[in-house]
């Protein structure tokens, strides 16, 4: 096969920009759907929470890949000197390799899938050479990712070699391509840390990325990638349609609508500020506001491009994606504005007899829509009801909900609870009820939290998970199982809740019930490693630690990153008295789930045995920070206090553990002994 | 008008359209029996219609992209009958696509994602920039996978959470392998057009006469693979004569696709009765 001839034939293929873009979007969508359908924890596109999934599949990931595609296009344009529209055709075919990654991962992981996340920030860029270190199994990368990146780099190298026959350019191309990929990986979290570089308090990156005005974290990421697309797009356009660049950045005809959009945003910020001061403290928000105004401008100038031209199509595509990323309400308003400027205004003018109306009505409607669009960036789905704040309560509800969401994500549950309580006093909708219940649970108010969540109708995934786990953590297994079973009956993520039911049966030593749930779970596609994990749990509770370790090892064969299998091995070794192996197992588990309260607690327990009380205390406090109702952590803190002779503190800790889990016998016995001695 | 109506009706490819609806029904059947849930008529109708419209959109797209090839073969489509302008036909495709997506969304968001995958597959098959139908046997793999996706779409009514991972492997092989072996016959009628446009098929690669023989053998093998996959030797009693009959039909100079489909529908009917009487044959 003559590669040069193949590339030349592909370059000569004749199809429109729209067809090419549809091809690119198809490749990206297939990759995303399969990656998320296979991915271990299903937090991405196939998420049980539809809103999260929607923005992941239709906004976040498409924009990530489009940005990457454009930067690659620019790179190859600069290196080879070819026009972008020539290079784009073979690039599109080469880009299709991104489809293979999820399939490689599902095979390599034996059906478990991998959880993929972004790099933590610019400081990790020096670590990216490790992607090629095939002796390591990186926590954040997968084999599928590594292979796809390798193929992309090989493709870029081959293309440059064929086109330029220049050895230096052939070497530079893959190096820069790899840097582009890793920069895209570090970009979101790096942008999120900007406030700390400017001297503001370092906020939890989660709060910056996942919190804010926008309701879903993927939207914040989308905003960042859109800005990247704009920056790169300018350079690509200069090589493709030079005239387009000057037209795109000619703001004269859009100045009025841009100003009105900015006024709308300002009005929204003004209304929200008393309840959510962070609206002005997030770097993402400034990008978001700028992007929203720019999108209005782009929508406005689509009329200036020749009809059916590539330029108009490209601008329209950009406006669609940008508006979608900012939010559905903004998208709808911009769509209305687009229809008005492209189709509605001429029709309106034809129908109006009055010269004044003909001249000013379309412009007037445009202004109103521009203002509303800006406002809807801040107030999202509450935009229409809050833009004219006749009902101040509605403004307060939306603003406090935004603030509460930010506190909750940043694990400031006390403030989150306060905000949700205020919202609940004003509006008792299902969503607020859910969030209030979850906040109560997070702050240790188990009874109130479960009472509120029990009233959420109909049962959904988040409620079932929060409620069931709250019952389970406080020893109320019967109630937990009732909730899980209800979720299975309602066909809500059955493989997740069946897993909990099977695990509960295993820990109670009920082999028949466990096997029955496992059989049903397997039919529902429960990952194989979970199956063996649960078998391991059964043997663990039965005291057969060797059999437990065998099962956990089997689980790890199917899912090398199976946290609970590692943790289970740790428990087995702990009970066998092999504390060194136990510590190693728990530490490995913590690598994969650094925010797991149980693992922190378990590690702390080992340090108690080692008599390193300072380290132990740090682990228990970390556990409680993650989960304030971790009864065992309180108990263990009580143990430490007892060892250090701080009896009063010990009593307090034991009481706290019993308060959370009244059936927690070790705490009850320890308290009785302590009080007996006194 | 009669000619136009005839073009429109045959343009919907009724036989192969039915072929796509069988996997949907199969997926629904599988879901019902695997999870012990009742038949959901509303969702079942919606998913059937969704797949139907998705398939119609793909036919229109195929006609639009195969104008040259169909002209050489003189295949009668609503386009080259001359009564429907290209723009209207494109609008019809868009309408079918939107109908397909909305019907899927009415069931659930994740069913929508599966139907989107199906539409992407059709797009990649027929249209540039990929137009994978040009490459043999990739084209056959895609057609077989399309049927599998249709089955998973039906199945997802009962298992929306992990439809890809929980769909039984044996059922996947049961759908994909026989279709992969059998679907070469569809390229027989388009031989001249494919040769003129550089599309590789079994017949353009092997020549018409050798291709017919290989096609006949493969179609027999596809029928024989069914009892092997299902591990149900009694089925040979039906599959052997039906397979030989299909092979015989394919060898005829006066080849008609319709006859192959009719024999295939007989097998579908037999399998439908078998699965209803003994679901364990497919579920295990």
């Amino acid at each position: 096969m003559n590669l040069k001839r193949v590339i030349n034939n592909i370059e000569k293929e004749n199809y429109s920009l729209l067809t090419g873009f549809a091809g690119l979007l198809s490749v990206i969508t297939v990759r995303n759907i399969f990656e998320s359908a296979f991915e271990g924890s299903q937090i991405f596109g196939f998420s049980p929470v539809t809103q999260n999934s929607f923005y992941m599949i239709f906004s976040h990931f498409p924009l990530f890949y489009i940005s990457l595609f454009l930067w690659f296009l620019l790179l190859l344009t600069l290196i080879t000197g070819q026009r972008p529209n020539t290079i784009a055709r073979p690039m599109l075919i080469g880009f299709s390799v991104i489809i293979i990654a999820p399939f490689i991962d599902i095979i390599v992981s034996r059906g478990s899938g991998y959880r993929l996340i972004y790099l933590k920030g610019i400081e990790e860029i020096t670590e990216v050479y490790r992607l090629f270190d095939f002796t390591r199994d990186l926590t954040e990368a997968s084999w599928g990712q590594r292979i796809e990146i390798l193929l992309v780099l090989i493709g870029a190298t081959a293309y440059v070699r064929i086109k330029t026959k220049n050895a230096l350019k052939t070497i530079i191309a893959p190096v820069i391509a790899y840097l582009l990929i890793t920069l895209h990986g570090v970009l979101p979290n790096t942008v999120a840390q900007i406030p700390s570089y400017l001297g503001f308090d370092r906020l939890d990156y989660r709060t910056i990325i996942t919190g804010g005005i926008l309701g879903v974290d993927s939207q914040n990421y989308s905003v960042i990638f859109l800005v990247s697309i704009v920056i790169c797009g300018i350079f690509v356009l200069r090589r493709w349609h030079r005239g387009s660049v000057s037209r795109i950045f000619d703001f004269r005809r859009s100045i009025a609508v841009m100003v009105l959009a900015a006024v709308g945003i300002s009005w929204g910020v003004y209304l929200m500020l008393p309840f959510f001061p962070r609206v002005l403290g997030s770097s993402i928000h400034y990008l978001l506001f700028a992007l929203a105004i720019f999108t209005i401008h782009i929508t406005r100038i689509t009329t200036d491009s020749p009809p059916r031209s590539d330029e108009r199509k490209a601008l329209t595509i950009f406006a669609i994606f940008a508006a979608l990323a900012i939010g559905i309400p903004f998208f709808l308003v911009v769509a209305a504005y687009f229809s008005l400027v492209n189709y509605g205004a001429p029709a309106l003018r034809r129908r109006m007899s009055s010269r004044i109306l003909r001249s000013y009505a379309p412009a007037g409607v445009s202004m109103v829509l521009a203002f509303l669009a800006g406002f809807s960036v801040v107030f999202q789905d509450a935009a229409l009801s809050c833009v004219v704040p006749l009902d101040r309560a509605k403004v307060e509800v939306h603003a406090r909900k935004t603030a509460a969401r930010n506190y909750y994500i940043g694990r400031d549950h006390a403030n989150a609870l306060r905000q949700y309580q205020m919202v609940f006093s004003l509006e008792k909708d299902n969503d607020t009820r859910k969030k209030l219940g979850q906040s109560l649970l997070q702050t240790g108010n188990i009874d109130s939290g479960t009472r509120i969540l029990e009233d959420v109708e109909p049962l959904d995934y988040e409620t079932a998970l929060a409620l069931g786990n709250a019952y389970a953590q406080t020893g109320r297994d019967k109630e937990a199982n009732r909730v899980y079973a209800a979720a299975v009956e309602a066909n809500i993520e059955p493989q997740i809740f069946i897993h909990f039911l099977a695990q509960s049966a295993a820990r109670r030593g009920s082999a028949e019930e466990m096997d029955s749930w496992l059989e049903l779970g397997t039919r529902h596609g429960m990952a194989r490693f979970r199956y063996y994990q649960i078998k391991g749990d059964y043997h663990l509770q039965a005291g057969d630690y060797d059999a437990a370790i065998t099962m956990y090892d089997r689980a790890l064969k199917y899912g090398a990153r199976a946290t609970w299998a590692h943790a289970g091995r740790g428990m087995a070794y702990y009970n066998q008295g092999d504390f060194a192996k136990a510590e190693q197992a728990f530490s490995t588990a913590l690598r994969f789930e650094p925010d797991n309260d149980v693992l922190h607690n378990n590690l702390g327990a080992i340090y108690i045995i080692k008599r390193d009380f300072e380290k132990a205390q740090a682990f228990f406090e970390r556990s409680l920070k993650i989960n304030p109702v971790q009864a065992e952590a309180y108990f263990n803190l009580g143990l430490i206090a007892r060892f250090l002779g701080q009896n009063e503190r010990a009593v307090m800790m034991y009481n706290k553990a019993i308060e959370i889990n009244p059936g927690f016998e070790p705490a009850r016995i320890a308290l009785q002994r302590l009080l007996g001695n006194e | 008008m009669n000619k136009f109506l005839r073009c429109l009706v045959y343009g919907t490819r009724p036989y192969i359209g039915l072929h796509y609806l069988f996997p949907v029904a199969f997926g629904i059947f599988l879901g019902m029996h695997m999870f012990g849930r009742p038949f959901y008529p509303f969702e079942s109708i919606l998913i059937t219609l969704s797949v139907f419209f998705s398939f119609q959109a793909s036919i229109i797209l195929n006609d639009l992209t195969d104008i040259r090839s169909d002209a050489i073969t003189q295949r009668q489509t609503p386009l080259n009958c001359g009564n429907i302008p290209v723009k209207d036909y494109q609008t019809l495709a868009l309408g079918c696509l939107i109908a397909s997506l909305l019907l899927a969304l009415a069931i659930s968001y994740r069913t929508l994602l599966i139907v989107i995958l199906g539409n992407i597959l059709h797009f990649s098959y027929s249209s540039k920039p990929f137009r994978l139908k040009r490459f043999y046997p990739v084209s056959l793999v895609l057609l077989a996978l399309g049927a599998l996706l249709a089955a998973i779409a039906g199945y997802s009514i009962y298992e929306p959470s992990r439809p890809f991972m929980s769909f039984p492997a044996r059922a996947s092989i049961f759908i994909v392998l026989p279709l992969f072996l059998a679907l070469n016959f569809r390229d027989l009628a388009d031989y001249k057009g494919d040769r003129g446009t550089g599309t590789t098929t079994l017949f353009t690669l092997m020549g018409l006469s050798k291709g017919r023989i290989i096609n006949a053998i493969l179609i027999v093998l596809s029928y024989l693979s069914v009892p092997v996959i299902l591990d149900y030797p009694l089925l040979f009693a039906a599959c052997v004569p039906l397979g030989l009959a299909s092979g015989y039909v394919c060898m005829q100079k006066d080849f008609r696709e319709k006859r192959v489909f009719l024999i295939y529908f007989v097998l579908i009917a037999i399998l439908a009765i078998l699965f209803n009487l003994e679901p364990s044959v497919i579920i295990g």
Side-chain angles (χ1 to χ4, degrees):
Chain A
M1 184 178 72
N2 188 325
L3 192 57
K4 186 174 178 181
R5 199 181 314 150
V6 168
I7 290 174
N8 287 340
N9 286 341
I10 295 171
E11 284 173 353
K12 287 186 192 125
E13 293 238 326
N14 186 21
Y15 50 83
S16 67
L17 171 77
L18 219 52
T19 303
F21 184 75
L24 178 63
L25 208 55
S26 300
V27 164
I28 293 169
T29 307
V30 170
R31 159 59 185 265
N32 289 336
I33 291 178
F34 278 114
E35 180 172 38
S36 57
F38 292 162
E39 183 264 335
S41 64
Q42 287 187 281
I43 61 165
F44 289 146
F46 231 72
S47 164
V49 182
T50 300
Q51 199 183 24
N52 292 357
S53 169
F54 175 80
Y55 281 109
M56 277 287 179
I57 289 186
F58 296 107
S59 185
H60 175 172
F61 278 121
L63 290 169
F64 170 80
Y65 285 111
I66 290 170
S67 173
L68 208 48
F69 185 89
L70 278 176
W71 280 101
F72 275 15
L73 188 61
L74 180 65
L75 169 70
L76 294 178
T77 302
L78 292 172
I79 287 186
T80 63
Q82 307 252 82
R83 283 174 60 78
N85 52 330
T86 306
I87 301 175
R89 286 167 166 72
M91 247 192 76
L92 177 54
I93 304 298
F95 212 66
S96 312
V97 299
I98 66 172
I99 290 177
I100 65 170
F103 294 96
I104 292 174
D105 284 340
I106 203 68
I107 292 168
V108 165
S109 67
R110 297 183 206 220
S112 304
Y114 284 118
R115 182 181 169 177
L116 304 178
I117 57 177
Y118 285 111
L119 298 174
K120 289 203 171 48
I122 198 79
E123 64 269 18
E124 281 205 328
I125 199 152
T126 54
E127 294 290 303
V128 294
Y129 72 92
R130 290 167 71 193
L131 199 76
F132 294 106
D133 183 355
F134 291 110
T135 62
R136 294 175 196 260
D137 178 21
L138 298 179
T139 324
E140 284 92 19
S142 72
W143 289 104
Q145 243 187 346
R146 287 171 169 179
I147 290 168
E148 73 168 341
I149 290 174
L150 207 56
L151 288 173
V152 163
L153 297 182
I154 291 170
T157 311
Y159 186 80
V160 170
R161 177 80 187 129
I162 287 168
K163 291 294 175 184
T164 66
K165 297 197 188 347
N166 182 313
L168 183 63
K169 286 183 179 178
T170 307
I171 293 168
I172 288 173
V175 170
I176 299 178
Y178 185 53
L179 281 175
L180 285 173
I181 294 170
T182 50
L183 277 170
H184 273 74
V186 303
L187 191 61
N189 289 336
T190 301
V191 170
Q193 289 173 51
I194 286 173
S196 66
Y197 301 147
L198 298 172
F200 291 95
D201 284 342
R202 190 187 176 98
L203 298 171
D204 187 314
Y205 78 91
R206 251 185 314 254
T207 316
I208 298 165
I209 283 292
T210 62
I213 297 168
L214 301 178
V216 176
D217 61 351
S218 343
Q219 290 176 272
N220 284 324
Y221 284 90
S222 303
V223 165
I224 295 169
F225 293 128
L226 273 163
V227 172
S228 167
I229 286 168
V230 168
I231 293 170
C232 182
I234 294 166
F235 294 109
V236 170
L237 267 178
R238 281 170 70 87
R239 296 213 151 227
W240 194 342
H241 287 287
R242 198 172 261 274
S244 298
V245 180
S246 45
R247 244 197 312 279
I248 286 169
F249 289 94
D250 181 3
F251 297 110
R252 284 173 295 177
R253 290 191 69 181
S254 331
I255 197 78
V257 289
M258 287 171 73
V259 165
L260 274 157
V263 170
I265 290 170
S266 307
W267 177 235
V269 168
Y270 172 75
L271 289 178
M272 190 169 274
L273 206 53
F275 310 105
F276 182 46
R278 208 175 272 168
V279 68
L280 286 178
S282 168
S283 48
I284 305 282
H285 289 165
Y286 293 103
L287 286 178
L288 173 66
F289 299 152
L291 183 68
I293 294 167
F294 187 69
T295 305
I296 299 281
H297 158 69
I298 292 292
T299 311
R300 168 67 188 84
I301 65 168
T302 50
T303 44
D304 298 338
S305 306
R308 283 194 275 280
S309 64
D310 280 354
E311 185 185 289
R312 185 184 262 201
K313 287 174 190 167
L315 292 176
T316 307
I317 290 169
F318 176 84
I320 289 171
F321 274 95
L324 206 59
I326 294 168
I328 300 284
F330 181 79
F331 175 81
L332 291 172
V333 178
V334 166
Y337 178 64
F338 177 86
S339 306
L340 178 71
V341 297
N342 282 289
Y343 309 108
L348 268 176
R349 284 194 193 98
R350 276 198 298 273
R351 276 172 171 69
M352 284 173 185
S353 48
S354 154
R355 195 164 62 87
I356 294 171
L357 276 177
R358 264 205 309 275
S359 304
Y360 295 112
V365 175
S366 295
M367 301 298 176
V368 169
L369 287 174
F371 176 81
L372 187 60
F375 185 76
S376 70
V377 174
V378 184
F379 268 77
Q380 297 288 310
D381 42 358
L384 273 180
S385 55
C386 297
V387 64
V388 180
L390 299 170
D391 185 351
R392 283 267 162 194
K394 282 205 162 88
V395 174
E396 187 175 344
V397 160
H398 181 83
R400 287 199 185 280
K401 271 187 183 176
T402 307
R405 190 176 61 242
N406 277 265
Y407 283 127
Y408 189 93
I409 290 162
R411 299 198 199 277
D412 184 354
H413 294 296
N415 271 320
L417 176 62
R418 200 170 46 83
Q419 294 290 341
Y420 279 126
Q421 278 170 335
M422 282 189 229
V423 172
F424 198 64
S425 67
L426 296 167
E427 191 177 278
K428 290 178 173 43
D429 65 310
N430 229 21
D431 188 57
T432 308
R433 197 182 291 273
K434 257 184 0 194
K435 294 289 189 288
L436 176 62
Q438 285 166 12
S439 295
L440 283 165
L441 292 177
Q442 292 290 349
T443 47
N445 299 298
I446 306 298
D447 287 338
S448 321
T450 51
R451 214 172 23 249
I452 296 259
L453 286 177
E454 287 280 9
D455 287 339
V456 171
E457 285 279 331
L459 186 67
D460 62 15
Y461 169 72
E462 289 167 302
T463 306
L465 195 64
L467 193 53
N469 288 352
Y471 283 136
Q473 277 169 14
T474 51
R476 288 187 270 182
D477 287 342
K478 215 169 149 188
E479 282 103 327
N481 289 344
R482 175 181 55 79
V483 173
Y484 296 146
V488 173
E489 183 56 38
N491 220 5
I492 299 169
E493 304 307 300
Q495 39 95 16
I496 291 176
F497 294 106
I498 287 170
H499 169 242
F500 289 137
L501 286 161
Q503 196 172 55
S504 168
R507 289 174 182 178
R508 275 184 281 118
S510 173
E512 207 179 303
E513 193 187 334
M514 173 189 73
D515 287 334
S516 159
W517 285 122
L518 283 177
E519 197 260 324
L520 184 61
T522 304
R523 264 190 273 147
H524 276 284
M526 186 195 289
R528 209 77 190 127
F529 74 88
R530 291 197 202 281
Y531 179 92
Y532 287 111
Q533 245 171 224
I534 290 166
K535 289 275 193 184
D537 288 350
Y538 173 76
H539 289 297
L540 189 69
Q541 68 77 38
D544 189 351
Y545 303 121
D546 287 328
I549 290 169
T550 304
M551 286 294 129
Y552 290 133
D553 285 343
R554 223 176 270 184
L556 290 171
K557 251 180 74 179
Y558 283 95
R561 301 173 185 184
T563 313
W564 285 113
H566 286 289
R569 287 175 87 245
M571 288 301 302
Y573 285 127
Y574 182 91
N575 285 310
Q576 284 180 331
D578 191 340
F579 300 117
K581 277 190 178 161
E583 186 182 347
Q584 193 184 35
F586 288 138
S587 299
T588 306
L590 211 55
R591 260 182 68 216
F592 301 128
E593 262 188 55
D595 290 333
N596 188 303
D597 56 297
V598 174
L599 293 171
H600 283 283
N601 179 65
N602 291 351
L603 269 168
I606 290 177
Y607 281 102
I608 287 184
I609 291 166
K610 284 174 155 187
R611 292 292 191 263
D612 189 343
F613 295 130
E614 204 179 308
K615 250 188 184 154
Q617 184 154 337
F619 274 110
F620 297 134
E621 280 167 0
R622 177 87 187 114
S623 175
L624 285 169
K625 195 164 178 228
I626 296 165
N627 180 11
V629 294
Q630 174 52 266
E632 280 203 33
Y634 278 116
F635 168 68
N636 287 321
L637 282 170
L639 281 180
I640 291 176
R642 183 81 178 90
F643 279 124
L644 297 175
Q646 297 164 357
N647 287 353
E648 222 175 274
R649 181 172 156 80
V651 166
M652 194 171 72
M653 291 295 124
Y654 292 148
N655 274 327
K656 193 72 191 166
I658 293 165
E659 189 189 315
I660 291 168
N661 185 354
F664 191 35
E665 279 309 303
R668 208 174 273 287
I669 293 167
L671 183 64
Q672 275 169 5
R673 278 206 189 121
L674 186 61
L675 294 173
N677 284 347
E678 282 178 353
Chain B
M1 188 55 142
N2 275 340
K3 188 184 174 202
F4 172 69
L5 277 175
R6 202 168 45 240
C7 284
L8 204 58
V9 166
Y10 282 115
T12 62
R13 315 277 205 279
Y15 293 107
I16 196 146
L18 267 177
H19 148 75
Y20 266 106
L21 297 185
F22 290 141
V24 177
F26 176 68
I28 293 169
F29 171 86
L30 215 54
M32 263 175 67
H33 285 274
M34 273 178 70
F35 305 113
R37 292 189 185 260
F39 177 63
Y40 297 143
F42 179 64
E43 287 85 351
S44 301
I45 291 170
L46 284 178
I47 192 61
T48 307
L49 286 173
S50 175
V51 170
F52 171 76
F53 279 113
S54 171
F55 178 63
Q56 293 309 312
S58 77
I59 290 173
I60 297 171
L61 182 64
N62 197 56
D63 288 345
L64 287 166
T65 53
D66 274 357
I67 286 179
R68 219 179 103 216
S69 167
D70 287 340
I72 298 171
T73 325
Q74 292 176 335
R75 182 194 274 274
Q76 299 220 303
T77 69
L79 257 187
N80 62 22
C81 278
N83 283 24
I84 185 165
V86 169
K87 195 121 175 73
D88 290 351
Y89 211 39
Q90 284 171 339
T91 309
L92 188 60
L94 188 62
C96 287
L97 176 66
I98 292 171
S100 158
L101 297 177
L102 288 175
L103 286 162
L105 185 61
I107 301 168
S108 76
Y109 168 73
R110 281 189 269 193
T111 307
L112 168 70
L113 294 183
I114 297 170
V115 167
I116 284 175
L117 278 177
N119 284 305
I120 289 175
L121 189 142
H122 296 140
F123 170 77
S124 312
Y125 178 80
S126 300
S127 173
K128 285 180 180 173
F130 305 112
R131 199 163 155 76
L132 295 173
K133 65 184 291 188
R134 295 179 286 179
F135 308 110
Y136 181 82
V138 172
S139 50
L140 295 182
V141 171
L142 286 179
L143 290 174
L145 288 178
L148 178 60
L149 266 178
I152 293 176
Y155 173 79
S156 72
I157 292 171
Y158 294 91
E159 176 35 78
S161 167
R162 301 258 288 177
F164 295 104
M165 297 307 292
S166 67
F167 194 81
R170 189 149 71 145
S172 302
I173 298 169
F174 166 70
I175 292 171
V176 171
L177 185 61
L179 285 176
F180 174 73
L181 291 171
L183 284 174
N184 286 290
F185 75 88
R186 293 195 57 224
D187 296 324
L188 190 49
D190 296 330
Y191 170 68
K192 283 183 189 160
D194 291 337
R195 207 174 54 168
T197 53
T199 301
T200 55
T201 65
L202 176 68
F203 305 99
T204 60
L205 285 173
M206 295 289 159
L208 203 52
S209 39
K210 222 191 245 178
R212 276 180 192 271
I213 298 168
I214 298 172
N215 173 49
I217 294 170
L218 287 173
I219 213 168
V220 171
L221 283 176
S222 79
Y223 276 85
L224 297 180
S225 68
V226 171
V228 171
I229 294 166
L230 296 177
D231 193 20
Y232 198 78
L234 260 177
L235 256 184
F236 279 113
C239 290
V240 169
L242 290 175
L244 289 173
S246 291
Y248 174 75
V249 162
C250 287
M251 288 299 297
Q252 298 307 296
K253 271 214 164 56
D254 176 28
F255 169 74
R256 301 274 171 92
E257 263 186 24
K258 183 172 148 182
R259 292 172 189 161
V260 178
F261 276 112
L262 288 173
I263 298 170
Y264 165 64
F265 292 159
V266 170
L267 177 65
I268 295 295
I270 293 170
L271 287 173
I273 295 167
L274 174 65
F275 291 157
N276 271 290
L277 290 174
E278 278 187 66
S280 59
V281 169
I282 188 65
I283 292 165

